Amino acid sequence: MRAKLRAKRRWRAWPVVPLMLTAGVPAPVARAGPPSGLRADAAQVAEPLPGSEAPVPAVARTWPVGVRPEVVRGWDPPAHPYGPGHRGVDLAAAEGDPVRSVAAGRVAFAGRVAGRGVVSVDLAGTGEPPLRTTYEPVRASVHTGDEVGPGTVLGVLEPPTGHCAGPCVHWGLRRGKAYLNPLSLLRTGPSRLLPVDGVPLP
């Protein structure tokens, strides 16, 4: 009889053992942020913004200002969305110069941002979301919703804002939240000689 009672006591004690073994083990903690040793900005670089991988079609038919303006500061993309950099190009111009749309599209914005005149144009036939060009500082002569063509005057260049040493147009390009190089809108490649009436070919 005593042997049976001892066996029952042992059997009842078994379920307690796993509880005692797990009671002292801490539960796994979910860690937020990048793994140890990986900087936060590096983690953001590892995942490019949607739209940054898509090729940019060379749809521009004219420069925003002049015929072949000097690029006083080029495109310098930031390492991550909130990092330092230059999200466009600066083109030398004179105050009062006409600023033109480089391609056909629709004016998405024409107004003032932080005291500067800004005009943005969504370019036609460039996908979804469309490529958006931005020009500043510009005193706009167009309105949101206007249809524009290549070379349509959007406004005139305003006085310098301190962004450049002298008067300049800041020309930007974006698809969604991804900033792109606006110079990629222009056709580049080797020059070709075209026949001219009355002039013999070499």
Side-chain angles (χ1 to χ4, degrees):
M1 189 71 179
R2 289 179 182 175
K4 288 181 179 180
L5 288 172
R6 285 176 189 167
K8 285 181 180 179
R9 285 175 185 166
R10 285 178 191 162
W11 186 257
R12 288 174 184 170
W14 274 107
V16 180
V17 174
L19 295 174
M20 293 173 64
L21 291 174
T22 58
V25 179
V29 178
R31 296 183 180 272
S36 176
L38 183 64
R39 293 179 355 196
D41 57 349
Q44 290 174 332
V45 173
E47 297 182 5
L49 289 171
S52 60
E53 310 91 343
V56 176
V59 295
R61 296 293 176 265
T62 183
W63 286 83
V65 288
V67 177
R68 185 70 168 84
E70 176 190 358
V71 178
V72 293
R73 186 179 177 189
W75 185 60
D76 181 19
H80 57 82
Y82 305 104
H86 193 228
R87 297 166 172 82
V89 296
D90 295 336
L91 306 175
E95 184 182 336
D97 278 357
V99 178
R100 303 180 295 268
S101 176
V102 298
R106 182 188 297 272
V107 177
F109 178 81
R112 306 199 72 77
V113 177
R116 297 188 307 273
V118 177
V119 178
S120 296
V121 177
D122 287 345
L123 303 185
T126 56
E128 190 59 40
L131 290 170
R132 174 172 291 184
T133 53
T134 303
Y135 313 84
E136 58 179 290
V138 176
R139 186 180 301 111
S141 57
V142 292
H143 302 89
T144 301
D146 286 353
E147 298 279 352
V148 297
T152 297
V153 174
L154 305 173
V156 296
L157 185 63
E158 291 185 331
T161 60
H163 180 77
C164 299
C168 77
V169 175
H170 178 80
W171 178 29
L173 176 66
R174 201 173 67 177
R175 187 191 295 278
K177 294 183 178 179
Y179 287 89
L180 306 167
N181 185 356
L183 294 178
S184 57
L185 290 170
L186 296 163
R187 293 185 183 276
T188 57
S191 300
R192 293 186 301 165
L193 292 175
L194 299 177
V196 178
D197 291 341
V199 178
L201 292 172

Coordinates of all heavy atoms in Angstrom, one line a residue, residues 9-75:
R9 N 2.5 9.7 -5.7 CA 3.1 11.0 -5.4 C 4.2 11.4 -6.4 O 4.3 12.5 -6.8 CB 3.8 11.0 -4.0 CG 2.7 11.0 -2.9 CD 3.4 10.8 -1.5 NE 2.4 10.7 -0.5 CZ 2.7 10.3 0.8 NH1 3.9 9.9 1.1 NH2 1.7 10.3 1.7
R10 N 5.0 10.4 -6.8 CA 6.0 10.7 -7.9 C 5.3 11.1 -9.2 O 5.7 12.0 -9.9 CB 6.8 9.4 -8.1 CG 7.8 9.2 -7.0 CD 8.6 7.9 -7.3 NE 9.4 7.5 -6.2 CZ 9.8 6.3 -6.0 NH1 9.6 5.4 -6.9 NH2 10.6 6.0 -5.0
W11 N 4.2 10.4 -9.6 CA 3.5 10.7 -10.8 C 2.9 12.1 -10.8 O 3.0 12.9 -11.8 CB 2.4 9.7 -11.0 CG 1.7 9.8 -12.3 CD1 0.5 10.4 -12.5 CD2 2.2 9.4 -13.6 NE1 0.2 10.4 -13.9 CE2 1.3 9.8 -14.6 CE3 3.4 8.9 -14.0 CZ2 1.4 9.5 -15.9 CZ3 3.6 8.6 -15.4 CH2 2.6 8.9 -16.3
R12 N 2.4 12.6 -9.6 CA 1.8 13.9 -9.5 C 2.9 15.0 -9.5 O 2.7 16.1 -9.9 CB 1.0 14.0 -8.2 CG -0.3 13.3 -8.3 CD -1.0 13.3 -6.9 NE -2.2 12.5 -6.9 CZ -2.9 12.2 -5.9 NH1 -2.5 12.6 -4.7 NH2 -4.0 11.4 -6.0
A13 N 4.1 14.6 -9.1 CA 5.2 15.6 -9.1 C 5.8 15.9 -10.4 O 6.4 17.0 -10.6 CB 6.3 15.1 -8.1
W14 N 5.6 15.0 -11.4 CA 6.3 15.2 -12.7 C 5.8 16.5 -13.4 O 6.6 17.2 -14.0 CB 6.0 14.0 -13.6 CG 7.1 12.9 -13.3 CD1 6.9 11.7 -12.7 CD2 8.4 13.0 -13.7 NE1 8.1 11.0 -12.7 CE2 9.0 11.8 -13.3 CE3 9.2 13.9 -14.4 CZ2 10.4 11.5 -13.5 CZ3 10.5 13.6 -14.6 CH2 11.1 12.4 -14.2
P15 N 4.5 16.8 -13.5 CA 4.1 18.0 -14.3 C 4.7 19.3 -13.7 O 4.8 20.3 -14.4 CB 2.6 18.0 -14.1 CG 2.2 16.6 -13.8 CD 3.3 16.1 -13.0
V16 N 5.1 19.3 -12.5 CA 5.6 20.5 -11.9 C 7.0 20.8 -12.4 O 7.5 21.9 -12.4 CB 5.6 20.4 -10.3 CG1 6.2 21.6 -9.7 CG2 4.2 20.1 -9.8
V17 N 7.8 19.7 -12.7 CA 9.2 19.9 -13.1 C 9.4 20.8 -14.3 O 10.2 21.7 -14.2 CB 9.8 18.5 -13.3 CG1 11.2 18.6 -13.9 CG2 9.8 17.7 -12.1
P18 N 8.6 20.6 -15.4 CA 8.8 21.5 -16.6 C 8.6 23.0 -16.2 O 9.2 23.9 -16.7 CB 7.9 21.0 -17.6 CG 7.5 19.6 -17.2 CD 7.6 19.6 -15.7
L19 N 7.6 23.2 -15.4 CA 7.2 24.6 -15.0 C 8.4 25.2 -14.2 O 8.7 26.4 -14.4 CB 6.0 24.6 -14.1 CG 4.7 24.2 -14.9 CD1 3.5 24.1 -13.9 CD2 4.4 25.2 -16.0
M20 N 9.0 24.4 -13.3 CA 10.1 24.9 -12.5 C 11.3 25.2 -13.4 O 12.1 26.1 -13.2 CB 10.5 23.9 -11.5 CG 9.4 23.7 -10.4 SD 9.8 22.4 -9.3 CE 11.3 23.0 -8.5
L21 N 11.5 24.4 -14.5 CA 12.6 24.6 -15.4 C 12.5 25.8 -16.3 O 13.5 26.5 -16.5 CB 12.8 23.3 -16.3 CG 13.3 22.1 -15.6 CD1 13.3 20.9 -16.6 CD2 14.7 22.2 -15.0
T22 N 11.2 26.1 -16.7 CA 11.0 27.2 -17.6 C 10.8 28.5 -16.8 O 10.8 29.6 -17.4 CB 9.8 27.0 -18.5 OG1 8.7 26.7 -17.7 CG2 10.1 25.8 -19.4
A23 N 10.5 28.4 -15.5 CA 10.1 29.6 -14.8 C 11.3 30.6 -14.7 O 11.1 31.8 -14.7 CB 9.7 29.3 -13.4
G24 N 12.5 30.1 -14.7 CA 13.7 31.0 -14.6 C 14.3 31.4 -15.9 O 15.3 32.1 -15.9
V25 N 13.7 31.0 -17.0 CA 14.2 31.4 -18.3 C 13.5 32.7 -18.8 O 12.3 32.7 -19.0 CB 14.0 30.2 -19.4 CG1 14.6 30.6 -20.7 CG2 14.7 29.0 -18.9
P26 N 14.2 33.7 -19.1 CA 13.6 35.0 -19.6 C 13.0 34.8 -21.0 O 13.6 34.1 -21.8 CB 14.7 36.0 -19.6 CG 16.0 35.2 -19.7 CD 15.7 33.9 -19.0
A27 N 11.9 35.4 -21.2 CA 11.2 35.3 -22.5 C 12.0 36.1 -23.5 O 12.6 37.1 -23.2 CB 9.8 35.9 -22.4
P28 N 12.0 35.7 -24.8 CA 12.8 36.5 -25.8 C 12.2 37.9 -26.0 O 11.0 38.1 -26.0 CB 12.6 35.7 -27.1 CG 11.4 34.8 -26.9 CD 11.4 34.6 -25.4
V29 N 13.1 38.9 -26.2 CA 12.7 40.3 -26.3 C 12.8 40.7 -27.7 O 13.8 40.5 -28.4 CB 13.6 41.2 -25.4 CG1 13.2 42.6 -25.6 CG2 13.5 40.8 -23.9
A30 N 11.7 41.3 -28.3 CA 11.7 41.8 -29.7 C 12.5 43.1 -29.7 O 12.2 44.0 -28.9 CB 10.3 42.0 -30.2
R31 N 13.5 43.1 -30.6 CA 14.3 44.3 -30.7 C 13.9 45.1 -31.9 O 13.8 44.6 -33.0 CB 15.8 43.9 -30.8 CG 16.3 43.2 -29.6 CD 17.8 42.9 -29.7 NE 18.3 42.2 -28.5 CZ 18.7 42.8 -27.5 NH1 18.7 44.1 -27.4 NH2 19.2 42.1 -26.4
A32 N 13.8 46.4 -31.7 CA 13.4 47.3 -32.8 C 14.7 47.9 -33.4 O 15.7 48.0 -32.7 CB 12.5 48.5 -32.3
G33 N 14.7 48.2 -34.6 CA 15.8 48.9 -35.3 C 16.7 47.9 -35.9 O 16.5 46.7 -35.9
P34 N 17.9 48.4 -36.5 CA 18.8 47.5 -37.2 C 19.5 46.6 -36.3 O 19.7 46.8 -35.1 CB 19.7 48.5 -37.9 CG 19.7 49.7 -37.1 CD 18.3 49.8 -36.5
P35 N 20.1 45.5 -36.8 CA 20.9 44.6 -36.0 C 22.1 45.3 -35.4 O 22.5 46.3 -35.9 CB 21.3 43.5 -37.0 CG 20.4 43.6 -38.2 CD 20.0 45.0 -38.2
S36 N 22.7 44.7 -34.4 CA 23.8 45.2 -33.7 C 25.0 45.4 -34.7 O 25.3 44.5 -35.5 CB 24.3 44.3 -32.6 OG 25.5 44.8 -32.0
G37 N 25.6 46.6 -34.7 CA 26.7 46.9 -35.6 C 26.3 47.5 -36.9 O 27.1 47.9 -37.7
L38 N 25.0 47.6 -37.2 CA 24.5 48.2 -38.4 C 23.9 49.5 -38.1 O 22.9 49.6 -37.4 CB 23.5 47.2 -39.1 CG 22.9 47.7 -40.5 CD1 24.1 47.7 -41.5 CD2 21.9 46.7 -40.9
R39 N 24.4 50.6 -38.7 CA 23.9 51.9 -38.4 C 22.5 52.1 -39.0 O 22.2 51.4 -40.0 CB 24.8 53.0 -39.0 CG 26.1 53.0 -38.4 CD 27.0 54.1 -39.0 NE 26.5 54.7 -40.1 CZ 27.2 55.4 -41.0 NH1 28.5 55.5 -40.8 NH2 26.7 55.9 -42.1
A40 N 21.7 52.9 -38.5 CA 20.3 53.2 -38.9 C 20.3 53.6 -40.4 O 19.5 53.2 -41.2 CB 19.6 54.2 -38.0
D41 N 21.2 54.5 -40.7 CA 21.2 55.1 -42.1 C 21.6 54.0 -43.1 O 21.2 53.9 -44.2 CB 22.1 56.3 -42.2 CG 23.5 56.0 -41.8 OD1 23.8 55.0 -41.2 OD2 24.4 56.9 -42.0
A42 N 22.5 53.1 -42.7 CA 22.9 52.0 -43.5 C 21.7 51.1 -43.8 O 21.5 50.5 -44.9 CB 24.1 51.2 -42.9
A43 N 20.9 50.8 -42.8 CA 19.7 50.0 -43.0 C 18.8 50.6 -43.9 O 18.1 49.9 -44.7 CB 19.0 49.8 -41.6
Q44 N 18.6 51.9 -43.9 CA 17.7 52.6 -44.9 C 18.3 52.5 -46.3 O 17.5 52.4 -47.2 CB 17.5 54.1 -44.5 CG 16.7 54.2 -43.2 CD 16.6 55.6 -42.7 OE1 17.5 56.4 -43.0 NE2 15.5 55.9 -42.0
V45 N 19.6 52.6 -46.4 CA 20.2 52.5 -47.8 C 19.9 51.2 -48.4 O 19.7 51.0 -49.6 CB 21.7 52.8 -47.7 CG1 22.3 52.6 -49.1 CG2 21.9 54.2 -47.3
A46 N 19.9 50.1 -47.6 CA 19.7 48.8 -48.1 C 18.4 48.6 -48.8 O 18.2 47.7 -49.5 CB 19.8 47.8 -46.9
E47 N 17.4 49.4 -48.5 CA 16.1 49.3 -49.1 C 15.8 50.6 -49.9 O 15.4 51.6 -49.3 CB 15.0 49.1 -48.0 CG 15.2 47.8 -47.2 CD 14.1 47.6 -46.2 OE1 13.1 48.4 -46.2 OE2 14.2 46.7 -45.5
P48 N 16.1 50.6 -51.2 CA 15.8 51.8 -52.0 C 14.4 52.1 -52.1 O 13.5 51.3 -51.9 CB 16.4 51.4 -53.4 CG 16.3 49.9 -53.4 CD 16.6 49.5 -52.0
L49 N 14.1 53.4 -52.2 CA 12.7 53.9 -52.3 C 12.0 53.4 -53.5 O 12.7 53.3 -54.6 CB 12.6 55.4 -52.2 CG 13.0 56.0 -50.9 CD1 13.1 57.5 -51.1 CD2 12.0 55.7 -49.8
P50 N 10.8 53.0 -53.5 CA 10.0 52.6 -54.7 C 10.1 53.7 -55.7 O 9.9 54.8 -55.5 CB 8.6 52.4 -54.2 CG 8.7 52.2 -52.7 CD 9.9 53.0 -52.3
G51 N 10.4 53.3 -57.0 CA 10.5 54.3 -58.0 C 11.9 54.6 -58.4 O 12.2 55.1 -59.5
S52 N 12.9 54.4 -57.5 CA 14.3 54.8 -57.7 C 14.9 53.8 -58.7 O 15.9 54.2 -59.3 CB 15.0 54.9 -56.4 OG 15.1 53.6 -55.8
E53 N 14.4 52.6 -58.8 CA 15.0 51.6 -59.7 C 14.6 51.7 -61.2 O 15.2 51.3 -62.1 CB 14.7 50.2 -59.2 CG 15.0 50.0 -57.7 CD 13.8 50.2 -56.9 OE1 12.8 50.9 -57.4 OE2 13.8 49.8 -55.7
A54 N 13.4 52.3 -61.4 CA 12.8 52.4 -62.7 C 13.7 53.4 -63.6 O 14.1 54.4 -63.1 CB 11.4 53.0 -62.7
P55 N 13.9 53.0 -64.8 CA 14.7 53.9 -65.7 C 14.0 55.2 -66.0 O 12.7 55.2 -66.0 CB 14.9 53.1 -67.0 CG 13.7 52.1 -67.0 CD 13.5 51.8 -65.5
V56 N 14.7 56.2 -66.2 CA 14.2 57.6 -66.5 C 14.2 57.8 -68.0 O 15.2 57.8 -68.7 CB 15.0 58.7 -65.8 CG1 14.4 60.0 -66.2 CG2 14.9 58.5 -64.3
P57 N 13.0 57.9 -68.6 CA 13.0 58.1 -70.1 C 13.5 59.5 -70.5 O 13.2 60.5 -69.7 CB 11.5 58.0 -70.5 CG 10.8 58.3 -69.2 CD 11.6 57.9 -68.1
A58 N 14.2 59.6 -71.6 CA 14.7 60.9 -72.0 C 13.7 61.7 -72.8 O 13.7 61.8 -74.0 CB 16.0 60.7 -72.9
V59 N 12.7 62.3 -72.0 CA 11.6 63.0 -72.6 C 11.8 64.5 -72.7 O 10.9 65.1 -73.4 CB 10.3 62.7 -71.8 CG1 9.9 61.2 -71.9 CG2 10.4 63.2 -70.4
A60 N 12.8 65.0 -72.2 CA 13.0 66.5 -72.2 C 13.4 66.9 -73.6 O 14.1 66.3 -74.3 CB 14.1 66.9 -71.3
R61 N 12.8 68.0 -74.1 CA 13.0 68.6 -75.4 C 13.7 69.9 -75.3 O 14.0 70.5 -76.4 CB 11.7 68.7 -76.1 CG 11.0 67.3 -76.4 CD 11.8 66.5 -77.4 NE 11.2 65.2 -77.6 CZ 11.6 64.1 -76.9 NH1 12.5 64.2 -76.0 NH2 11.0 62.9 -77.2
T62 N 13.9 70.4 -74.1 CA 14.5 71.7 -74.0 C 15.1 71.8 -72.6 O 14.7 71.0 -71.7 CB 13.5 72.9 -74.2 OG1 14.2 74.1 -74.1 CG2 12.4 72.8 -73.2
W63 N 16.0 72.8 -72.3 CA 16.5 73.1 -71.0 C 15.5 74.0 -70.3 O 14.7 74.7 -70.9 CB 17.8 73.8 -71.1 CG 19.0 72.8 -71.5 CD1 19.3 72.5 -72.7 CD2 19.9 72.2 -70.6 NE1 20.4 71.7 -72.7 CE2 20.8 71.5 -71.4 CE3 20.0 72.2 -69.2 CZ2 21.8 70.7 -70.8 CZ3 21.1 71.4 -68.6 CH2 21.9 70.7 -69.5
P64 N 15.5 74.0 -69.0 CA 14.6 74.9 -68.2 C 14.9 76.3 -68.5 O 14.0 77.2 -68.5 CB 14.8 74.5 -66.8 CG 15.4 73.2 -66.8 CD 16.2 73.1 -68.0
V65 N 16.1 76.7 -68.7 CA 16.5 78.1 -69.0 C 17.6 78.1 -70.0 O 18.4 77.1 -70.1 CB 17.1 78.8 -67.7 CG1 15.9 79.1 -66.8 CG2 18.2 78.0 -67.0
G66 N 17.7 79.1 -70.8 CA 18.8 79.3 -71.8 C 18.8 78.2 -72.9 O 17.8 77.4 -73.1
V67 N 19.9 78.1 -73.5 CA 20.1 77.1 -74.6 C 21.0 75.9 -74.0 O 20.6 74.7 -74.2 CB 20.8 77.7 -75.8 CG1 21.1 76.6 -76.9 CG2 20.0 78.8 -76.4
R68 N 22.0 76.2 -73.4 CA 22.9 75.2 -72.8 C 23.5 75.8 -71.5 O 24.7 76.2 -71.4 CB 24.0 74.8 -73.7 CG 24.9 73.6 -73.2 CD 24.1 72.3 -73.2 NE 24.9 71.2 -73.0 CZ 25.3 70.7 -71.8 NH1 25.0 71.4 -70.7 NH2 26.1 69.6 -71.8
P69 N 22.7 76.0 -70.4 CA 23.1 76.7 -69.2 C 24.2 75.9 -68.5 O 24.3 74.7 -68.6 CB 21.9 76.8 -68.4 CG 21.0 75.6 -68.8 CD 21.3 75.4 -70.3
E70 N 25.0 76.7 -67.8 CA 26.0 76.1 -66.9 C 25.4 75.4 -65.7 O 24.5 76.0 -65.1 CB 27.0 77.2 -66.5 CG 28.1 76.7 -65.5 CD 28.9 77.8 -64.9 OE1 28.6 79.0 -65.2 OE2 29.7 77.5 -64.1
V71 N 25.9 74.2 -65.4 CA 25.4 73.5 -64.2 C 26.4 74.0 -63.1 O 27.5 73.5 -63.0 CB 25.5 72.0 -64.4 CG1 25.1 71.3 -63.1 CG2 24.6 71.6 -65.6
V72 N 25.9 74.8 -62.2 CA 26.7 75.4 -61.1 C 26.8 74.4 -60.0 O 27.8 74.5 -59.2 CB 26.3 76.7 -60.7 CG1 26.4 77.8 -61.8 CG2 24.8 76.7 -60.2
R73 N 25.9 73.5 -59.8 CA 26.0 72.5 -58.8 C 25.2 71.3 -59.3 O 24.0 71.4 -59.7 CB 25.4 72.9 -57.5 CG 25.6 71.9 -56.3 CD 25.1 72.4 -55.0 NE 25.2 71.4 -54.0 CZ 24.7 71.5 -52.8 NH1 24.0 72.5 -52.4 NH2 24.9 70.5 -51.9
G74 N 25.8 70.1 -59.3 CA 25.2 68.9 -59.8 C 24.4 68.2 -58.8 O 24.2 68.6 -57.6
W75 N 23.8 67.0 -59.2 CA 23.0 66.2 -58.4 C 23.9 65.4 -57.5 O 24.8 64.7 -57.9 CB 22.2 65.3 -59.3 CG 21.2 64.4 -58.7 CD1 20.1 64.8 -57.9 CD2 21.1 63.0 -58.7 NE1 19.4 63.7 -57.5 CE2 20.0 62.6 -57.9 CE3 21.9 62.0 -59.3 CZ2 19.6 61.3 -57.7 CZ3 21.5 60.7 -59.1 CH2 20.4 60.3 -58.3

